[in-house]
Amino acid sequence: EAQVTQNPRYLITVTGKKLTVTCSQNMNHEYMSWYRQDPGLGLRQIYYSMNVEVTDKGDVPEGYKVSRKEKRNFPLILESPSPNQTSLYFCASSQDRGPLHFGNGTRLTVT
Amino acid sequence: SQELEQSPQSLIVQEGKNLTINCTSSKTLYGLYWYKQKYGEGLIFLMMLQKGGEEKSHEKITAKLDEKKQQSSLHITASQPSHAGIYLCGATKASGTYKYIFGTGTRLKVLA
């Protein structure tokens, strides 16, 4: 089944403790991206990647890192999480400017 | 301001009623996508529109893109409780970088 898989679904952590949210797609898509969704602010792009080893900042990249060493994987790294990074995160992928396919989301709480 | 303006922000309808959600851009779009999201869950792709004047339907949901490719509507006929959720429009712009933009969503509640 074609899908984007994110893990974990839920994560509670403390300020400053490094964490990684994994994202994997099995559709051989070149484009992958990360979004955060907050009430009243909608979906905001954090980082995106056009292809392997090519990543670029989105609208809200501060406090986040990404890497794209393989086509299928695009992990999101929070080196030192802070409470303002508490949010619902989505990974997505697409091909040829087609529709984005989203993962099920990761709800992150930073205390 | 949002690059994609979506209206209304929320909608409560009685089961069986029709409803329309609108999505407007000030710039010509390359592609327009409609998604549905159940509260706190992932976004499910509904339909993609690319050509001016295009109209697509799936079950009781119809989406249209105007000739200028700047405005889209999503129409639900004879709404059911299963239609409840958040509807988001997303788009890629006709020129410029390969970037997706999104509306802020319409929260739909259907009363049984």
Side-chain angles (χ1 to χ4, degrees):
Chain A
E1 181 192 349
Q3 59 186 0
V4 178
T5 305
Q6 280 179 244
N7 281 298
R9 287 294 309 276
Y10 301 93
L11 183 54
I12 301 173
T13 190
V14 295
T15 299
K17 188 175 181 182
K18 181 179 177 180
L19 66 92
T20 300
V21 184
T22 64
C23 174
S24 181
Q25 51 94 3
N26 62 1
M27 295 168 278
N28 204 36
H29 285 168
E30 290 187 340
Y31 183 92
M32 296 186 75
S33 60
W34 277 101
Y35 297 86
R36 59 179 288 175
Q37 187 179 39
D38 302 288
L41 296 175
L43 277 169
R44 293 182 293 168
Q45 189 181 53
I46 303 170
Y47 269 94
Y48 66 97
S49 170
M50 300 287 288
N51 213 326
V52 175
E53 303 291 2
V54 179
T55 63
D56 214 339
K57 295 177 181 178
D59 299 315
V60 289
E62 294 77 23
Y64 304 95
K65 280 175 60 176
V66 292
S67 68
R68 187 96 183 268
K69 293 178 182 162
E70 306 164 280
K71 199 171 188 178
R72 62 184 292 127
N73 295 323
F74 191 45
L76 179 70
I77 303 154
L78 284 72
E79 294 269 359
S80 183
S82 62
N84 65 12
Q85 292 178 299
T86 292
S87 187
L88 180 57
Y89 290 87
F90 289 104
C91 179
S93 72
S94 73
Q95 188 70 23
D96 297 332
R97 293 219 279 176
L100 283 167
H101 297 262
F102 286 85
N104 283 332
T106 295
R107 189 169 289 281
L108 172 65
T109 302
V110 184
T111 61
Chain B
S1 64
Q2 286 287 330
E3 290 188 84
L4 277 183
E5 295 287 341
Q6 201 173 326
S7 64
Q9 287 189 343
S10 64
L11 203 46
I12 302 174
V13 299
Q14 202 70 39
E15 183 177 1
K17 294 293 185 186
N18 302 337
L19 62 105
T20 299
I21 299 167
N22 295 300
C23 179
T24 303
S25 169
S26 58
K27 295 188 163 76
T28 301
L29 302 170
Y30 174 80
L32 189 289
Y33 315 100
W34 284 99
Y35 297 88
K36 180 185 176 186
Q37 183 182 21
K38 297 241 169 162
Y39 301 109
E41 295 185 13
L43 283 76
I44 299 165
F45 169 66
L46 296 175
M47 275 177 274
M48 174 174 79
L49 302 164
Q50 271 191 300
K51 297 176 187 171
E54 188 173 10
E55 179 175 322
K56 286 189 178 175
S57 292
H58 177 67
E59 297 179 345
K60 294 186 178 180
I61 301 177
T62 301
K64 298 179 188 178
L65 182 63
D66 75 334
E67 290 290 343
K68 286 187 180 179
K69 295 176 63 176
Q70 289 182 272
Q71 190 165 351
S72 179
S73 61
L74 186 84
H75 184 78
I76 299 178
T77 304
S79 58
Q80 301 168 347
S82 61
H83 287 127
I86 301 170
Y87 289 83
L88 282 115
C89 62
T92 44
K93 292 193 261 192
S95 61
T97 58
Y98 183 155
K99 185 182 176 181
Y100 292 85
I101 53 177
F102 291 91
T104 49
T106 296
R107 193 175 289 262
L108 172 65
K109 191 170 183 177
V110 180
L111 303 174

